[in-house]
Amino acid sequence: MRYISTRGQAPALNFEETMLTGLARDGGLYVPEEIPSLSADEIRALAGKSYEEIAFTVMRPFVGDTFSDDEFRSLIARAYAGFNHDARAPLVQLAPNHFLLELFHGPTLAFKDFAMQLIGQLFQAVLARRGERVTIVGATSGDTGSAAIEAFKGLDNVDVVILFPHGRVSEVQRRQMTTPPESNIHALAVDGDFDDCQAALKDMFNDFDFRDEVKLAGVNSINFARVLAQVVYYFSSAVSVGAPDRNVSFTVPTGNFGDIFAGYLAKKMGLPIDRLVVATNQNDILHRAIASGEHTKHGVTPSISPSMDIQVSSNFERALFDAYGRDGAAVSALMSELDEGGFTISQGAIEALRDQFDSGRASEEETSATIKDMRARSGELLCPHSAVAVKVAQENLTETVMVTLATAHPAKFPDAVEAASGIRPALPPHMADLFERPERVTRVKNDLGALQALIKERIAR
Ligand SMILES: *Cc1c(COP(=O)(O)O)cnc(C)c1O
């Protein structure tokens, strides 16, 4: 299995190199050269299997000879051992034809744990074998940072530096990043928004001297290994509701487009997915782009679903690459236009995108009303991100069964959930003392040089 860049100018890599490289050296994102597929019989055979067994079957064709079968199985087993639910990703029913996929039973209570716990294991295995050390720098709107810290804290071969937007993450999210005492963890509060953090990260990757000096690695969803880990729960949930003998639709609360892109991959692999619905909050650039063909930046307004407060969704580039017939030069040109404010998607490409994706948005009021309403109608207490998706899913219900992804535990966003429902969700026991633990964080200007200097200073030892 080889991986190629969406901008067509970087060398093709195998799985191991793709995972360690993160962003391609031409600024693009790696995608598999060909998408492997599972037959209907192979999908049918997943019914009743453990999450770990499904994960092995779905991901095996992508990893090539980076891991032996035995090694890959044991890494998967270790990745999910710390989850608080035997099903890992349980489904609950909201309405006759509408299910909720609970992806928040991992150690940091958000779906990011599914990918991060796995790539923590994969990185550790590969780096130990190569005798190498890397600096992982991640940008986060809240949940990626804590998931990465939880997955990599205390590991020998890795420093983890997390950039988060100062004052724009929930207090639980911040404390999850600032309280781990391990010396290889560095939380930096940047004076800016999430897009500033993500742009700084991309600039670091594009500064080859810096990149090589600190051995920069990335665990944002620009890293294909992360997206791959998320393909698994589309299969596990679809099979639970009758695939491959019944079609399934999914609605996904979307920020960086990584999670929904995993659904798109699952469909390409042969899972009978009818609709993939992109749900955005008031920061709705993706909904506007799919509805109108205009992909234009309008700024970010902070919302009660902060993990989706974003305007440049890095993984959308992967979808555009396919929609433009895998023309790397065309994608490069679009991305240059985006730096200037936006671009118009070509007629052919917008039709290709609409063949795959529907979209919708939920306002702040609709999100709060959905939290309250679902609690009353089904007993389920939703986090604001999941509520955005449930609202949009309700507008897209057909006779095909709908699975909506619940991406975080309500206790990560207690203020918004309490304001909407009157119920203050409690943190689970393993995090109950979070508010008593001491914090360790460095506030930094949104300045590339200052960030790079600080990172070099921190990893020197
Ligand atoms: C990251 C995140 C999202 C958005 O996922 P993307 O893969 O970036 O589209 C949605 N909800 C929560 C709770 C998240 O942490």
Side-chain angles (χ1 to χ4, degrees):
M1 169 71 70
R2 293 189 343 140
Y3 291 83
I4 57 173
S5 164
T6 50
R7 303 202 189 168
Q9 299 294 314
L13 302 177
N14 68 15
F15 179 78
E16 175 170 332
E17 293 159 341
T18 301
M19 181 176 85
L20 293 177
T21 301
L23 194 69
R25 283 196 174 241
D26 59 4
L29 279 70
Y30 277 103
V31 290
E33 192 165 43
E34 277 162 35
I35 312 287
S37 62
L38 295 183
S39 68
D41 282 342
E42 287 170 312
I43 296 171
R44 202 172 285 115
L46 299 175
K49 294 267 164 62
S50 69
Y51 188 85
E52 286 80 352
E53 281 175 82
I54 296 174
F56 177 80
T57 306
V58 169
M59 294 190 287
R60 184 74 193 96
F62 290 89
V63 306
D65 55 13
T66 297
F67 302 107
S68 70
D69 284 2
D70 284 350
E71 187 178 21
F72 195 43
R73 274 186 206 283
S74 74
L75 295 170
I76 292 170
R78 260 181 266 157
Y80 299 113
F83 276 53
N84 298 312
H85 197 298
D86 282 351
R88 310 309 184 215
L91 272 178
V92 300
Q93 192 163 11
L94 296 180
N97 214 19
H98 190 184
F99 291 80
L100 190 75
L101 180 58
E102 291 186 348
L103 299 174
F104 50 72
H105 296 284
T108 71
L109 312 181
F111 83 96
K112 306 265 185 347
D113 289 323
F114 277 88
M116 214 62 87
Q117 286 292 318
L118 181 70
I119 71 169
Q121 297 294 334
L122 303 187
F123 262 79
Q124 196 183 2
V126 165
L127 291 173
R129 189 162 73 203
R130 295 164 71 117
E132 283 175 19
R133 168 172 196 92
V134 296
T135 305
I136 289 175
V137 182
T140 186
S141 52
D143 295 322
T144 298
S146 52
I149 288 168
E150 193 63 33
F152 289 95
K153 68 184 186 190
L155 297 188
D156 295 335
N157 319 32
V158 192
D159 272 291
V160 179
V161 179
I162 296 297
L163 316 178
F164 71 87
H166 177 73
R168 295 201 185 209
V169 300
S170 82
E171 188 172 1
V172 173
Q173 288 178 315
R174 189 191 72 233
R175 286 180 168 274
Q176 283 182 310
M177 295 188 275
T178 58
T179 56
E182 287 79 1
S183 62
N184 71 327
I185 300 300
H186 315 275
L188 308 184
V190 178
D191 286 319
D193 60 22
F194 171 69
D195 288 283
D196 295 324
C197 296
Q198 179 150 268
L201 178 62
K202 279 204 167 184
D203 289 344
M204 286 183 213
F205 270 105
N206 289 325
D207 176 345
F208 294 155
D209 289 338
F210 176 79
R211 178 175 183 161
D212 295 337
E213 183 182 340
V214 306
K215 297 224 173 352
L216 187 63
V219 294
N220 276 90
S221 50
I222 50 176
N223 195 315
F224 182 78
R226 256 197 65 195
V227 177
L228 175 60
Q230 295 169 7
V231 176
V232 175
Y233 47 70
Y234 287 89
F235 276 90
S236 67
S237 59
V239 165
S240 297
V241 295
D245 302 303
R246 226 171 141 204
N247 285 359
V248 189
S249 291
F250 287 92
T251 302
V252 184
T254 297
N256 231 340
F257 210 80
D259 208 4
I260 191 137
F261 189 79
Y264 167 80
L265 282 177
K267 184 172 180 176
K268 292 244 147 188
M269 289 178 73
L271 192 65
I273 296 179
D274 185 16
R275 305 307 309 168
L276 283 166
V277 185
V278 174
T280 72
N281 66 21
Q282 60 192 3
N283 297 299
D284 61 353
I285 183 168
L286 288 168
H287 171 52
R288 285 185 284 114
I290 292 167
S292 72
E294 294 299 326
H295 187 274
T296 329
K297 296 196 254 183
H298 282 180
V300 172
T301 313
S303 77
I304 55 170
S305 44
S307 306
M308 294 154 68
D309 287 347
I310 173 171
Q311 44 178 354
V312 180
S313 298
S314 53
N315 283 282
F316 194 51
E317 179 168 341
R318 290 187 162 115
L320 288 169
F321 183 57
D322 279 4
Y324 277 83
R326 300 207 138 195
D327 178 349
V331 172
S332 284
L334 292 178
M335 294 303 139
S336 311
E337 282 183 60
L338 183 58
D339 291 339
E340 309 299 316
F343 55 81
T344 304
I345 303 170
S346 74
Q347 193 56 35
I350 193 70
E351 281 166 17
L353 285 169
R354 287 181 189 146
D355 271 350
Q356 303 291 340
F357 301 104
D358 291 296
S359 67
R361 91 194 276 277
S363 68
E364 296 288 274
E365 298 71 34
E366 289 168 332
T367 305
S368 296
T370 303
I371 294 174
K372 183 169 190 215
D373 186 51
M374 280 325 291
R375 174 67 183 187
R377 295 161 70 111
S378 72
E380 187 78 10
L381 193 58
L382 298 170
C383 92
H385 310 77
S386 312
V388 164
V390 166
K391 165 78 175 85
V392 171
Q394 286 169 332
E395 291 163 357
N396 284 274
L397 288 178
T398 61
E399 61 280 9
T400 305
V401 54
M402 176 67 80
V403 174
T404 296
L405 275 52
T407 47
H409 192 287
K412 278 195 109 160
F413 307 94
D415 297 337
V417 171
E418 183 175 18
S421 67
I423 299 164
R424 191 164 183 87
L427 286 169
H430 76 277
M431 279 170 54
D433 66 341
L434 186 66
F435 284 80
E436 279 101 67
R437 298 179 201 162
E439 292 192 76
R440 200 164 52 92
V441 58
T442 307
R443 181 137 171 213
V444 279
K445 280 189 306 207
N446 175 26
D447 174 84
L448 186 64
L451 279 168
Q452 289 177 322
L454 184 64
I455 291 170
K456 282 194 221 170
E457 180 195 310
R458 285 301 181 82
I459 65 172
R461 48 178 92 195

